[in-house]
Amino acid sequence: MDAETRELVLANRQFVWGLIARGFAEEPDGPFADILTSEHARAEVDLVSDGESEKLLGFYDELVALISRDGGIPEAADQFVRVFVGPGTLAASPWETMHTTGKRVLFHRDVLSVRDAYREAGFLPERYRAVADDAIGLECDFMAKLAERAVAANTAGDARACQDRLLQSLTFLTDHLQRWIGSLAQAIEEHYGAENFYAVLARFTEAWCARDRRLLDGLLEDSCLASARS
């Protein structure tokens, strides 16, 4: 792909991952709803035409409809608390290890693998040791930050740093998020209903992960070809 297309795709990844990370990280509010329902957001979701386009736009339109209806923001905020905060046992666990192992173990190898990925990329959660490394919000925020760093490296003309961030993104996506995002979506649907805002957000994220994997494959292949030519 040419330089302009590459820049566009990198920026697209940063925007969508940032939107997803904000959606899972905290209760929705007016500013988040404004971004989600904007023409710009829909254009970013529809930027690339591929096998996930119909799914992505369908789930995106559902999210917009849910948060735009009367009482949509407070309803989604209440759903956030029930799904991700409690009180009581969370019926649809927001932690990777519960979906990949069926156990919530602090030092399970899957959790340590997530922590190692953060460290290797130079990141640690703000509330390190007080939060679970494998929470959905943190994993998506990590992808958003890697995407942001890839954009910055590309803008600075540092092809090697950009390629490193893209490779870290692909590895984390395949080793972690894609292993359990579908399970999380199914659990939220079963326990809270398919029209729950976060059930739809999880399905949207699942479809986006499939697209992002193809985007990353293309970007990395392009980077390798460029390195070979140089």
Side-chain angles (χ1 to χ4, degrees), residues 21-37:
R22 169 59 184 85
F24 281 121
E26 55 187 296
E27 297 177 28
D29 55 16
F32 170 71
D34 289 343
I35 295 171
L36 178 63
T37 60

Side-chain angles (χ1 to χ4, degrees), residues 73-226:
I73 296 176
E75 182 179 355
D78 180 66
Q79 290 171 350
F80 178 90
V81 173
R82 287 189 286 121
V83 174
F84 298 120
V85 180
T89 302
L90 302 181
S93 174
W95 301 291
E96 178 182 336
T97 49
M98 284 296 294
H99 294 268
T100 57
T101 71
K103 300 176 181 179
R104 183 77 202 111
V105 182
L106 184 59
F107 293 108
H108 189 277
R109 62 178 179 274
D110 283 5
V111 179
L112 296 179
S113 177
V114 172
R115 184 174 299 176
D116 287 344
Y118 294 164
R119 283 174 169 166
E120 288 171 8
F123 296 103
L124 278 179
E126 288 184 3
R127 297 176 61 209
Y128 175 60
R129 298 187 185 280
V131 295
D133 301 87
D134 60 339
I136 184 62
L138 285 180
E139 292 199 2
C140 290
D141 185 60
F142 180 56
M143 290 295 294
K145 284 183 168 56
L146 288 176
E148 180 183 4
R149 294 292 177 86
V151 168
N154 185 69
T155 301
D158 191 339
R160 174 58 63 182
C162 182
Q163 185 172 352
D164 288 346
R165 292 306 186 183
L166 294 174
L167 184 57
Q168 288 168 340
S169 300
L170 180 61
T171 301
F172 192 81
L173 182 67
T174 55
D175 288 354
H176 296 286
L177 269 170
Q178 282 198 301
R179 293 178 60 207
W180 72 288
I181 186 63
S183 177
L184 174 62
Q186 182 177 347
I188 298 174
E189 289 170 353
E190 289 178 353
H191 294 286
Y192 301 100
E195 291 189 358
N196 182 284
F197 183 84
Y198 295 95
V200 181
L201 180 60
R203 288 300 183 195
F204 174 85
T205 304
E206 182 183 23
W208 170 255
C209 285
R211 171 182 284 181
D212 196 40
R213 184 169 181 170
R214 288 193 291 273
L215 290 176
L216 287 165
D217 284 339
L219 288 164
L220 283 166
E221 180 180 4
D222 183 61
S223 296
C224 290
L225 289 173

Side-chain angles (χ1 to χ4, degrees), residues 9-44:
V9 171
L10 290 170
N12 175 245
R13 294 188 63 254
Q14 179 183 353
F15 178 87
V16 178
W17 274 118
L19 188 67
I20 290 171
R22 169 59 184 85
F24 281 121
E26 55 187 296
E27 297 177 28
D29 55 16
F32 170 71
D34 289 343
I35 295 171
L36 178 63
T37 60
S38 67
E39 291 184 8
H40 175 68
R42 197 176 200 284
E44 291 286 354

